[in-house]
Amino acid sequence: MRASLLALAIGAFGIGTTEFVIVGLLPEVADDLSVSIPSAGMLVTGYALGVVVGAPLMTAAGARLPRKTMLVVLMAVFIAGNLLCALADDYTALMGGRLIAALTHGAFFGIGSVVAADLVAPDRRASAIALMFTGLTLANVLGVPLGTFLGQEFGWRSTFWAVTGIGVVGLLGLIALVPAQPAPERGALRGELAVFRKPQVWLALTTTVLGFGGVFASFTYLAPMMTERAGFSDGAVAWLLVLFGVGLCVGNVLGGRAADRALMPSLYLILGGLSLVLVIFTFTSRAAVPAAITLAAFGAIGFATVPPLQARVMQQAAGAPALASAANIAAFNLGNALGAWLGGLAVAHGLGWTSPTWIGAGLAAAGLGTAVLSGRLDRAGRASGTGRRPDPRPDAAPSSTPLTTAPGAGYGTHSIVEQKSR
C-alpha cells in the first residue's frame, strides 16, 4: 500500500512543481525568449486556464476507463507536455507545452484521491489521501525552490527536463506499483450535474476564484518584485520561495483547523487578513528584511484560504463530490489565471512592481464580499424556513457515495482530510 501511495505522491510532486516553478523563472524565460515579463507571466495564466478546461474535460473523458489506466494516460500526457517545454525554442512552443501539461492536473488529483482511498481500509482513507498529497506540499517547499535554482544555474529548460524525469519515475511507479482499479459506474457523472443548479454552489466557486485570484496576482510577479524593488539578488529568489513554502504549509494547517471549528467566520477572517497583508506588502517590499517577513506571512495567510474555500464548495455540493472537486480545481486555477493576467496588465501599463499586489488585495476583498453575501443567504434561508441548514461537514454525502476527493485545485487537503479521520 505504501509503495502505491508513493507512486501517486511522486506524480503529485511533479505536477505541483511544474505548475508553480515558472514563477521563479520569469526573468530568465523573458530574457531568453525576448519577451516582456508580463508576457512571460501569461505562462502562469495559460497553465491555469488549461487546468480550468482540463479538469472537467479529462474527468469526463476518463469516466469509463479503469482508474489505473486513466492515471497512466494522464501521466504520459504530463510527460509529453513538459518534454515540449524542455525542447521549446520559442514562446509559442513553451506555452503549448504548458497547456498540454495543465490538462492533466485536475483529473490526476481527483482520480488519484479515489485510488488512494480505495487502497486502504475505510478508517484509513484520510491518511492515505494525506500521504498522496504530501507530494504536492513537497513540491512547494522543495520542488519549486530547487527547480528555480536549477533553472537559474543551468538555464530554464533544465528545470523542465528535471520535471520530465520526475514524470517518468511517476509513470513507472504507477504501472508497477498501483493495483488495477475498476472503472466508475456508468451514469455517475451525469447524476452529479444537478448540483450546479444551486446558486450557493456558484457563489462558493466565485469566492474561490476571487479569493485565490488575490494570491496569484501578487505571487506570479514575486521574483521581479523582490529583485527589482526589495533589492534581493536573483540567486536569493529560490530561498525566498522556500520561505514562502514554509509559510504556506503552516497556513494550510492553521486554515484547516480554523475551518473545522467555524467555517464561515474563518473564511471571512482569512480573506480579510489576506487583503490586509497584501496592502502591507506593497509598503514592506521597499526593503529586504521587512519584505522577507511579509512574504512568509503572505504564504501563510494566502494558503490558509484553501481549506475553508474547499470546505465551502464541498459543503454546498454535498452528494456530488467528484464533479464538485473538478469544478473547484477549475475555480482555483481560474483565480490563478485571473490574478496573473490582471497583475501583468498593471505591470505592462507601467504601474510598477507593486501594482499586482494592490490588485491582489482588491480581489481578496471582492472574495470576502462574495463570501459575506453567501453567508447572508444561508441565514436568510434558515430564518424563512425555505432552506435547510447545510451540513457543516464539507464532505457530507449519502453513505453510499464513495470517498472520491479531498483536495481542491490540488491545494490544501487539511480540512477535508482531518474531518474524515475523525
Side-chain angles (χ1 to χ4, degrees):
M1 184 273 288
R2 292 278 178 177
S4 300
L5 292 175
L6 177 61
L8 293 170
I10 292 172
F13 178 82
I15 291 174
T17 299
T18 205
E19 177 182 18
F20 293 118
V21 75
I22 194 68
V23 171
L25 298 175
L26 288 187
E28 287 73 21
V29 171
D31 182 64
D32 183 62
L33 299 181
S34 300
V35 298
S36 67
I37 285 183
S39 294
M42 290 298 291
L43 294 166
V44 177
T45 300
Y47 185 96
L49 290 176
V51 178
V52 172
V53 174
L57 181 65
M58 300 297 278
T59 300
R64 296 185 179 181
L65 289 178
R67 289 173 182 141
K68 177 179 177 177
T69 301
M70 189 59 187
L71 286 175
V72 169
V73 170
L74 290 170
M75 190 52 58
V77 174
F78 172 79
I79 292 169
N82 281 282
L83 182 60
L84 180 56
C85 290
L87 295 172
D89 56 2
D90 58 30
Y91 181 82
T92 301
L94 179 57
M95 179 65 83
R98 294 278 292 169
L99 288 171
I100 291 172
L103 291 174
T104 68
H105 183 123
F108 183 89
F109 283 115
I111 297 171
S113 63
V114 178
V115 172
D118 286 346
L119 289 173
V120 298
D123 61 345
R124 299 189 63 192
R125 286 178 170 182
S127 297
I129 294 173
L131 184 57
M132 172 191 167
F133 279 89
T134 299
L136 186 67
T137 303
L138 289 176
N140 285 284
V141 178
L142 296 177
V144 172
L146 289 176
T148 299
F149 174 79
L150 186 67
Q152 290 174 340
E153 292 295 318
F154 303 102
W156 60 266
R157 291 177 181 82
S158 65
T159 300
F160 288 101
W161 279 113
V163 174
T164 300
I166 293 169
V168 171
V169 173
L171 176 64
L172 295 176
L174 291 172
I175 294 172
L177 301 175
V178 175
Q181 295 283 317
E185 295 180 6
R186 292 178 179 270
L189 186 63
R190 189 185 309 115
E192 292 192 348
L193 287 172
V195 77
F196 293 100
R197 297 173 186 168
K198 301 178 181 178
Q200 283 284 44
V201 170
W202 289 104
L203 277 174
L205 292 172
T206 300
T207 303
T208 295
V209 171
L210 294 173
F212 215 69
V215 175
F216 256 72
S218 179
F219 178 66
T220 300
Y221 300 96
L222 184 64
M225 185 173 75
M226 299 302 275
T227 55
E228 300 294 330
R229 184 171 172 83
F232 286 98
S233 66
D234 290 342
V237 172
W239 296 107
L240 290 169
L241 289 172
V242 171
L243 183 63
F244 182 84
V246 170
L248 73 88
C249 290
V250 172
N252 190 42
V253 172
L254 295 179
R257 290 178 179 174
D260 284 340
R261 292 188 179 96
L263 176 55
M264 294 308 290
S266 296
L267 187 55
Y268 302 152
L269 181 63
I270 292 169
L271 288 173
L274 174 60
S275 185
L276 178 61
V277 166
L278 287 173
V279 169
I280 293 172
F281 203 9
T282 63
F283 297 100
T284 59
S285 62
R286 297 172 182 172
V289 173
I293 294 172
T294 313
L295 176 63
F298 171 40
I301 193 71
F303 276 72
T305 62
V306 176
L309 288 171
Q310 169 69 3
R312 181 61 173 172
V313 170
M314 297 302 290
Q315 179 192 73
Q316 295 300 320
L323 197 55
S325 177
N328 205 40
I329 289 170
F332 271 107
N333 283 274
L334 185 58
N336 296 356
L338 176 66
W341 175 68
L342 290 176
L345 203 61
V347 171
H349 282 77
L351 299 181
W353 292 117
T354 60
S355 57
T357 303
W358 282 110
I359 290 172
L363 287 171
L368 173 60
T370 307
V372 170
L373 174 60
S374 181
R376 287 182 176 177
L377 289 177
D378 272 350
R379 292 191 296 273
R382 292 195 297 270
S384 65
T386 59
R388 67 177 179 88
R389 184 182 183 90
D391 193 319
R393 297 168 300 158
D395 58 325
S399 58
S400 60
T401 302
L403 174 61
T404 58
T405 174
Y411 312 101
T413 63
H414 181 276
S415 180
I416 306 299
V417 167
E418 185 175 274
Q419 292 191 45
K420 286 193 177 295
S421 64
R422 292 176 177 172

